[in-house]
Amino acid sequence: MSIRPVLETRKAKATMEGAGVHLHRAFGFHDPTELDPFLLFDDFRNENPADYAKGFPWHPHRGIETITYVLAGEVDHGDSLGNQGRLGAGDVQWMTAGSGILHQEMPKGNAKGQMHGFQLWANLPSALKMTAPRYQDVSAADIPVVVDDDGTAVRVIVGAFWGKRGPVDGIAADPQYLDISVPPGVKKTFPVDTYRRSFAYVFAGAGAFADASAPEGVLLEKEVAGQEVNIRDLSGNRTLIRFGTGDEVTVQAGPEGIRFLLISGAPIAEPVAWHGPIVMNTKDELRTAMADLRNGTFIKPAH
């Protein structure tokens, strides 16, 4: 067994999307090979309705899958195919845009005005870029939760983990998507398939992710002012941790515990041509998508 080294730790950056939604972006519109098959990850968390109420009005997607996970508040969605729905706290939607879809997502706060959720974009391989669009809407009650003897709790959204399997299936990236809570002071190791790209996103509490060169999991050797020193590396709120290769991820929870998403997927390793919400393999395919939007042929008839 080998612990995955930490390649990079970085804070999500504040940005705006849609009609003026304030959110934090952990990665996106970057080098698409870095976390292949994943393209973008946003944390939309706010307690001020004015900062999210205008939402994400009608916009297109083609060539990708979008995964929306709501923790607080609600998200109403609708699309050009006539689908409508509402995601509540704990619910998940996995949308395969495929050949193309126009949709909107409109967040609403809870009784305290709080809204919190995540959206992840996963790429589609060339053979599935133009597949028929589909949705998988999953209610919180259908997502299995596994609790270990030490109090560690894992919501299994996608993939198999600790004897449970998440309800979302048939995803091209063959991902694993886990929501993990580790109690204060607990050190825990989680298996991750060796051949998948993997990252963690910390959104509550703090903890230290073990590097292969730091077997205790809390001390990392870094150069400070020209000298090598051992320091505690606490990866806190709104923090992305990008891992190298290995088959385990180890975390030492801080004094307040830690809650994070652990996400991994099989690399697609294909060329990426990317323009906003449309991700294809070539510039010619992007030009075709833009022409389809202009002439009204973006939405393909059902076969």
Side-chain angles (χ1 to χ4, degrees):
M1 304 298 252
S2 59
I3 298 173
R4 284 181 176 245
V6 175
L7 297 180
E8 181 185 16
T9 298
R10 65 175 181 245
K11 291 286 188 179
K13 295 181 179 180
T15 188
M16 282 199 299
E17 276 295 349
V21 177
H22 293 248
L23 51 82
H24 283 75
R25 177 160 293 156
F27 63 88
F29 301 103
H30 65 307
D31 177 1
T33 66
E34 183 181 79
L35 283 166
D36 180 19
F38 305 114
L39 298 164
L40 176 146
F41 183 87
D42 284 343
D43 178 347
F44 52 96
R45 180 183 348 183
N46 214 302
E47 297 185 359
N48 179 11
D51 288 342
Y52 61 78
K54 292 182 180 179
F56 306 91
W58 294 98
H59 58 280
H61 283 295
R62 176 179 283 182
I64 64 171
E65 300 182 283
T66 66
I67 305 94
T68 306
Y69 179 26
V70 177
L71 294 183
E74 298 175 334
V75 176
D76 289 335
H77 67 89
D79 69 29
S80 51
L81 303 176
N83 297 303
Q84 291 185 334
R86 173 174 293 175
L87 300 175
D91 294 348
V92 173
Q93 180 191 84
W94 200 295
M95 183 189 77
T96 302
S99 61
I101 202 164
L102 298 171
H103 78 151
Q104 64 174 350
E105 300 154 299
M106 306 304 289
K108 296 180 180 179
N110 60 17
K112 296 181 179 180
Q114 299 165 323
M115 161 53 60
H116 189 194
F118 307 106
Q119 187 165 94
L120 174 69
W121 291 11
N123 200 5
L124 282 170
S126 57
L128 296 176
K129 289 287 190 189
M130 298 300 286
T131 192
R134 73 165 180 151
Y135 287 95
Q136 295 184 68
D137 287 329
V138 179
S139 68
D142 293 329
I143 297 174
V145 180
V146 190
V147 182
D148 207 2
D149 292 342
D150 59 11
T152 298
V154 180
R155 297 191 82 212
V156 186
I157 296 169
V158 187
F161 190 80
W162 285 355
K164 299 289 185 179
R165 178 168 288 278
V168 180
D169 62 10
I171 304 304
D174 187 26
Q176 187 178 61
Y177 191 128
L178 309 174
D179 178 352
I180 298 175
S181 298
V182 182
V186 171
K187 181 180 179 181
K188 201 72 177 175
T189 296
F190 304 94
V192 179
D193 188 287
T194 306
Y195 301 102
R196 298 169 186 246
R197 295 277 170 79
S198 180
F199 70 91
Y201 183 76
V202 180
F203 61 95
F209 286 85
D211 197 307
S213 62
E216 294 302 318
V218 290
L219 294 178
L220 295 180
E221 189 174 82
K222 294 189 177 181
E223 184 174 313
V224 178
Q227 294 185 344
E228 294 292 331
V229 297
N230 289 324
I231 64 173
R232 291 184 179 271
D233 182 28
L234 291 180
S235 299
N237 222 345
R238 291 195 178 106
T239 302
L240 174 79
I241 299 94
R242 188 164 62 90
F243 300 108
T245 58
D247 54 17
E248 292 181 338
V249 166
T250 295
V251 64
Q252 171 73 56
E256 297 179 355
I258 185 172
R259 187 175 179 187
F260 62 98
L261 304 178
L262 182 59
I263 299 173
S264 62
I268 294 173
E270 292 181 352
V272 172
W274 188 351
H275 181 76
I278 298 172
V279 183
M280 304 302 290
N281 294 105
T282 68
K283 290 183 179 180
D284 282 345
E285 290 170 337
L286 279 183
R287 284 190 279 267
T288 296
M290 296 301 111
D292 286 344
L293 281 169
R294 289 192 300 270
N295 61 28
T297 58
F298 187 80
I299 305 302
K300 305 301 179 185
H303 296 292

